[in-house]
Amino acid sequence: MKDRLVEKAWQALDKLKIELPSWGFANTGTRFGKFIQAAAATTIEEKFSDAAQVHSSTGACPTLALHVQWDLPNGLKDVGEVERLSQKFGVRPGSINPNIFQNQEYKYGSLGNPDSAIRKTALRHILDCVGIAEALHCRDVAPWFADGSNYPGTQNMRQRIAYFEEGLREIHRSLKPGQRLLIEYKPFEPAFYHTDIADWGMAYLLAKEAGPQAFVLVDTGHHYQAQNIEQIVAWLLHHKMIGGFHFNDRRYADDDLTLGSIDPYQVFRIFHEIHMFEWEKGAVADIAYMVDQSHNLKGKIEAMIQTVCTAQELYARAAMVDHERLAGLQQGCSLVDAEETLRGAFWTDTRSIVKDWRKSKGLPDDPLLAFRESGYLERVSRERSARNSGANASYA
Ligand code: LRH
Ligand code: MN
């Protein structure tokens, strides 16, 4: 008879689905260059194939986030191919990510650009992404805007707010029933004086202004050092305005490191806010759990498997908090006992509980070992190395 808390952990693991980023399997780098990996994915087929490896070894990643300009360069014309690959690899397309930050015309912004023609171009692309999402039966369209400026006085920040309100309202009008617009905020980079959608409050207000199908996307790497991310999550839960997460970890800025590699307690505290909310409401919060990482040095598939396993272990720990007991201690301001109730769960080693859950699902109890023993990495390294060795590694 599984004890009550282990049962809670298993129930949590049953419902935890983690969406992988197609771009997490590709050769990525920093502004100082890229270290090319022979096994890295370049084609959308290779990205689906690699994602399927993570899904088959963890059982927790049924969807793949797509970045339209990188994965569907021909827009709607590529939908058939994506559907074919989805069938072939048993991984569904997930959130649709427009790219309104890469092209030259976006130098002074996209929806926030003073030039109305460029705002129209950006809007056109995002509306096309809504169409692609509908054609692929994908629920979420998740635009991240790099828009901002680098020097004081160079842009009218209030005017740009109005441009964003106008553009996001237009996008919201194009959404089909059931679709969601997830607005991602980021305090800086690539803009280094102001970013138009810099924090949760700005994203919240723009989402509210856009309409009821617009929500906030919390990328854990998009916060100032001292910010209390789980308090932001608490606010967004309270107002039912949280649409999803881009999970990663960081020591300094938007480092996009592997989840839990630097501060696992941070992820645990976020998961705790969600589990406590769901316990209080007796309902599952409608949140898209997604990963957004770029593995510049580690093997990309192995790093993704690490990410999912860590997320499962920390999500299970947070599920094992005795919420009833904690609620009573919080109400009674029994500070030490309340803190010990939370800390106790965090220090619970859930690795064997998660292994047993995997075995009960017919999954490999050690996904990383299973992947290494599959020989997949050696095979794709052989197949892809010639092409990857020609890849451009330099920044400038
Ligand atoms: C921006 C971001 C955004 C993605 C990109 C790859 O930093 O987090 O979510 O589009 O990374
Ligand atoms: Mn992100």
Side-chain angles (χ1 to χ4, degrees), residues 23 67 144 184 186 219 222 246 254 292:
W23 55 94
H67 229 294
W144 164 66
E184 183 175 2
K186 184 175 182 178
D219 185 313
H222 293 182
H246 275 181
D254 189 20
D292 181 3

Side-chain angles (χ1 to χ4, degrees), residues 245-283:
F245 287 95
H246 275 181
F247 282 114
N248 47 64
D249 211 335
R250 78 305 172 38
R251 182 66 199 80
Y252 302 102
D254 189 20
D255 311 347
D256 281 342
L257 301 176
T258 310
L259 177 139
S261 58
I262 304 293
D263 184 356
Y265 198 35
Q266 169 63 82
V267 186
F268 171 85
R269 297 195 307 270
I270 290 171
F271 283 154
H272 166 63
E273 285 304 325
I274 297 165
H275 281 300
M276 191 77 178
F277 173 83
E278 293 180 338
W279 173 77
E280 278 169 29
K281 305 298 178 197

Side-chain angles (χ1 to χ4, degrees), residues 19 48 62-68 72 76 79 82-83 86 91-97 128-142 174-182 213 288 290:
E19 180 164 298
F48 267 102
T63 59
L64 181 69
L66 302 177
H67 229 294
V68 169
L72 298 97
L76 274 173
V79 162
V82 169
E83 277 293 5
S86 172
V91 171
R92 294 280 320 140
S95 62
I96 299 298
N97 295 256
D128 291 347
C129 292
V130 172
I132 289 169
E134 190 197 357
L136 287 171
H137 313 292
C138 297
R139 185 182 186 211
D140 295 338
V141 176
S174 74
L175 294 176
K176 304 298 174 287
Q179 284 191 312
R180 302 190 309 170
L181 175 62
L182 304 186
Q213 292 168 253
M290 305 177 278

Side-chain angles (χ1 to χ4, degrees), residues 318-340:
M320 295 175 78
V321 170
D322 186 334
H323 298 112
E324 183 132 19
R325 173 176 157 71
L326 182 60
L329 293 168
Q330 289 174 336
Q331 185 53 40
C333 295
S334 310
L335 307 184
V336 173
D337 291 343
E339 185 190 17
E340 286 307 308

Side-chain angles (χ1 to χ4, degrees), residues 68-121:
V68 169
Q69 196 159 322
W70 305 332
D71 301 324
L72 298 97
N74 310 303
L76 274 173
K77 297 193 199 64
D78 291 333
V79 162
E81 172 63 1
V82 169
E83 277 293 5
R84 181 185 73 78
L85 294 171
S86 172
Q87 302 295 328
K88 176 178 178 185
F89 292 104
V91 171
R92 294 280 320 140
S95 62
I96 299 298
N97 295 256
N99 188 325
I100 46 287
F101 51 82
Q102 190 173 320
N103 295 357
Q104 293 304 306
E105 64 260 30
Y106 296 137
K107 180 176 181 181
Y108 303 120
S110 63
L111 286 191
N113 196 303
D115 180 330
S116 61
I118 294 172
R119 294 199 300 274
K120 278 199 182 51
T121 304

